[in-house]
């Protein structure tokens, strides 16, 4: 079911911001409004004031002087139910957004609304940048510091001067999580919260809901390593608990049109069939509810393009095979991958796959397309001057989209088949088609290729590095959530190699998005493999690299604040390893 979502933006100054800012900040720093943002969904209004709160929109506005939003923006629809979203508020968001965690620059009502829209409701858009930038605009002025107390009073604590969380049975309060000191609320406080808060009775069975400061006794494992004496707080790591998917469908029309126009240059019957399959695929992606791309449609559209890239005229004549020839280019290949990345997100793409042992599966067009993409990525990294299909993979746009395809495939990992085996059998898997055989690369080969694209000596563009790092993040998210526990006595060779490669490139990485994802991969490894991974990091001298990055980022600009916090969390975990 689809639930509509809107963003309400209020002016807390009630029209006074412009005159006040002109008087105190000067004409170059005029602020038109002091915004307060709230999420409207399920006939409720969700916002951050004295903790995360919700109320009936009409009741909320009446309680605060009949204030009305200056604009209401339609944000789209979400598939999350009210219970699922409120569980996210309870289990995840409340750790960062509590009554004691208000921060003028990075943790106010507008930041919460943006976070709730993007992460809580899984929408593509969030709060407009001009709203999020208001605090910085204030403080960048000569008189901005003088207005900081007034702004904090207007945006934090008790919003609009009301007592939103207590006193009356408003149903707007949010039960607090012990963020700073780990102390538990008294039973009387808990009862009071439950009485006024309908969320307080939502059961929490997720281990991630445990207090981040819970102490654990030290213990020695059978191999003599020491486990953590206590679990450090990791709020940034805890929040990033979902895979990264590229799900924007706005390019579907363009992709279908470009592929169709390319086929129009030849009026063969085979091309007409491919064009028909492309139109069917567009319908399945954009008009079906839910989207339901069929592997047979993929076979007649996307796979025909990939298959054609492997066949040249001389090979056709030599073998006497009847194949469909398509004029290809790097841009046509990129458009093809843009469609494939969306196909793999949907359950119907798994149609026809049997046998769940991930070793000898019956394959459909989607699975063999993924194998083909992975094979070409790996092959190109060792064969830069190759012809035909491999030549396209030297182009940044094609290579970035190829990594995006593999990253999105983690929506349904069974599509990746034997490529996800951490310790594969000693046999070579092949995907046999009518015209050729594609060797399925091992997970080690794919990870090595991703690290090659991330290496400083590589000529990879920022877009390629971002896409490759997203693949590694999704891979570690899958590996560390597919099983409940890891072998604490031994690290797989793949993980050892990955750690070493990450620490080789991460200090020189200039793009914050890439660096953040690589640090997340490191944190996932540490949290999952525990002291075994931490001992390796310390023994190889990588602990110093963590401390150096922590020091460099300690006084960094606002946009890197989250990156600095994540590195600090990793440093805290390493400091307690022995």
């Amino acid at each position: 079911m689809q639930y509509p979502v809107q963003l309400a933006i209020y002016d807390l100054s009630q029209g006074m911001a412009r005159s006040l800012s002109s008087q105190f900040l000067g004409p170059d720093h005029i602020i038109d409004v002091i915004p307060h943002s709230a999420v409207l969904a399920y006939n409720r209004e969700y916002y951050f004031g004295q903790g995360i709160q919700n109320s009936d929109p009409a009741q909320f506005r009446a309680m605060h002087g009949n204030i009305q939003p200056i604009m209401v923006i339609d944000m789209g629809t979400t598939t999350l139910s009210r219970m699922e979203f409120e569980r996210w508020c309870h289990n995840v968001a409340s750790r960062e957004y509590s009554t004691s965690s208000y921060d003028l620059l990075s943790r106010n009502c507008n930041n919460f609304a943006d976070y709730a829209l993007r992460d809580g409701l899984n929408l593509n858009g969030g709060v407009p940048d001009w709203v999020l930038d208001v605090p910085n605009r204030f403080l960048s002025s000569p008189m901005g510091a003088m207005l900081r107390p007034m702004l904090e009073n207007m945006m934090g604590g008790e919003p609009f001067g009301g007592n939103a969380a207590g006193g009356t049975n408003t149903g707007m309060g949010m039960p607090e999580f012990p963020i700073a000191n780990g102390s538990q609320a008294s039973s009387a406080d808990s009862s009071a919260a439950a009485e006024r808060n309908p969320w307080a009775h939502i059961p929490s069975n997720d281990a991630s809901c445990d207090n981040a400061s819970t102490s654990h006794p030290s213990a020695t494992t059978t191999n003599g390593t020491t486990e953590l004496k206590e679990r450090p707080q990791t709020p940034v790591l805890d929040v990033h608990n979902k895979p990264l998917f590229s799900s924007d469908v706005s390019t579907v029309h363009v992709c279908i049109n470009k592929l169709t126009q390319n086929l129009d240059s030849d009026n063969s019957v085979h091309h007409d069939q491919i064009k028909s399959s492309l139109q069917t695929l567009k319908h399945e992606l954009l008009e079906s509810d839910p989207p339901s791309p069929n592997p047979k449609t993929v076979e007649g559209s996307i796979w025909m393009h990939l298959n054609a890239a492997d066949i040249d005229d001389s090979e056709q004549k030599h073998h006497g095979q009847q194949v469909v020839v398509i004029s290809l280019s790097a841009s046509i290949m990129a458009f093809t991958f843009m469609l494939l990345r969306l196909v793999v997100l949907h359950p119907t793409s798994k149609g026809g796959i049997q046998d769940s042992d991930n070793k000898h599966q019956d394959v459909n067009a989607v699975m063999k397309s993924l194998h083909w993409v992975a094979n070409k990525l790996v092959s190109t990294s060792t064969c830069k001057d190759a012809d035909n299909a491999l030549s396209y993979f030297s182009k940044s746009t094609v290579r970035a989209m190829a990594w995006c395809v593999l990253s999105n495939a983690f929506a349904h990992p069974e599509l990746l088949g034997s490529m996800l085996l951490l310790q594969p059998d000693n046999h070579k898997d092949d995907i046999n088609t009518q015209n050729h055989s594609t060797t399925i690369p091992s997970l080690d080969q794919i990870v090595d290729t991703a690290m090659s694209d991330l290496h400083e000596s590589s000529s990879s563009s920022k877009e390629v590095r971002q896409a490759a790092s997203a693949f590694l993040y999704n891979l570690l998210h899958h590996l560390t959530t597919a099983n409940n526990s890891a072998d604490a006595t031994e690290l797989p060779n793949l993980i050892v190699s990955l750690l070493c490669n990450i620490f080789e490139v991460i200090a020189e990485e200039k793009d914050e998005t890439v660096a953040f994802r690589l640090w997340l991969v490191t944190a996932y490894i540490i949290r999952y493999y525990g002291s075994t991974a931490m001992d390796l990091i310390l023994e190889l001298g990588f602990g110093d690299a963590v401390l150096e990055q922590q020091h460099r980022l300690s006084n960094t600009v606002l946009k890197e604040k989250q990156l600095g916090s994540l590195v600090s969390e990793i440093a805290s975990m390493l400091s307690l390893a022995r």
Side-chain angles (χ1 to χ4, degrees), residues 50 53 63-64 158-168 170:
Q50 192 168 355
Q53 303 169 276
M63 290 178 59
H64 299 99
E158 297 177 355
F160 318 109
N163 185 11
T168 60
T170 65

Side-chain angles (χ1 to χ4, degrees), residues 526-540:
I526 292 174
R527 185 168 65 178
Y528 186 66
Y529 290 99
S531 61
T532 307
M534 290 184 279
D535 288 344
L536 174 67
I537 291 173
L538 296 174
E539 289 170 6
L540 294 178

Side-chain angles (χ1 to χ4, degrees), residues 33 65 77 98 123 171 188 221 226 240 267 277 330 342 362 372 376 378 419 465 484 504 531-532:
V33 300
T77 60
S98 64
L123 300 178
T221 63
T226 303
H240 291 83
N267 294 322
S277 294
L342 295 174
D362 292 338
W372 187 94
K376 295 302 183 286
V378 170
M419 292 191 294
R465 300 199 313 277
N484 293 327
E504 185 177 352
S531 61
T532 307

Side-chain angles (χ1 to χ4, degrees), residues 153-398:
N153 183 61
M154 297 175 75
M155 297 183 70
E158 297 177 355
F160 318 109
N163 185 11
T168 60
N169 186 16
T170 65
M172 295 161 64
M174 183 71 198
E176 293 291 332
F177 275 77
I179 302 295
N181 56 22
S183 61
Q184 297 294 328
S186 67
S187 58
D189 291 340
S190 299
S191 298
E195 180 178 355
R196 68 175 182 265
N197 187 354
W199 299 353
H201 296 290
I202 296 177
S204 177
N205 297 322
D206 189 342
S208 65
C209 301
D210 293 343
N211 178 12
S213 297
T214 302
S215 297
H216 300 271
S218 61
T220 302
T221 63
T222 56
N223 66 339
T225 60
T226 303
E227 297 290 354
L228 289 178
K229 298 178 179 65
E230 60 180 290
R231 183 192 307 166
Q233 295 180 359
T234 55
V236 176
L237 176 59
D238 293 342
V239 166
H240 291 83
N241 57 3
K242 296 184 296 185
L244 298 171
F245 294 140
S246 172
S247 57
D248 180 20
V249 298
S250 63
T251 59
V252 171
H253 284 288
V254 173
C255 294
I256 296 294
N257 289 340
K258 291 294 185 181
L259 296 182
T260 300
Q261 291 171 8
N262 183 60
L263 293 168
D264 283 339
S265 60
D266 185 347
N267 294 322
S268 81
V269 174
H270 294 297
H271 283 196
D272 289 341
Q273 294 172 348
I274 298 173
K275 287 188 287 185
S276 176
S277 294
L278 285 171
Q279 293 303 315
T280 302
L281 181 61
K282 180 172 70 172
H283 174 82
E284 292 172 348
L285 287 173
L286 297 180
E287 299 176 27
S288 298
D289 187 15
S292 54
N294 190 306
K296 291 185 178 180
T297 307
V298 175
E299 178 92 38
S301 55
I302 292 175
W303 176 249
M304 295 300 290
H305 284 78
L306 304 186
N307 193 35
D310 276 337
I311 306 297
D312 58 28
D313 291 337
S314 61
E315 187 175 6
Q316 297 168 44
K317 294 176 181 178
H318 178 72
H319 293 289
Q321 298 170 333
Q322 182 179 3
V323 297
V324 178
V325 178
I326 300 176
S327 176
L328 296 175
S329 63
S331 61
I332 293 299
M333 192 63 67
F335 288 130
T336 304
F337 289 166
M338 288 181 191
L339 294 175
L340 183 57
R341 71 177 169 94
L342 295 174
V343 167
V344 299
L345 291 175
H346 304 291
T348 53
S349 64
K350 300 184 296 181
I353 297 179
Q354 301 174 0
D355 186 4
S356 60
D357 66 1
N358 277 340
K359 295 181 181 179
H360 305 289
Q361 295 174 310
D362 292 338
V363 299
N364 64 17
V366 180
M367 176 180 273
K368 65 184 180 183
S369 296
L370 289 171
H371 293 161
W372 187 94
V373 171
N375 173 272
K376 295 302 183 286
L377 274 172
V378 170
S379 299
T380 312
S381 67
T382 57
C383 191
K384 299 293 185 182
D385 298 324
D387 296 328
N388 297 334
L390 292 184
S391 64
Y392 304 133
F393 279 77
S394 63
K395 306 298 183 181
S396 295
T397 303
V398 174

Side-chain angles (χ1 to χ4, degrees), residues 441-453:
S442 68
L443 184 56
D444 292 68
Q445 290 175 310
I446 300 173
V447 170
D448 286 346
T449 301
M451 290 309 309
S452 176
D453 280 352

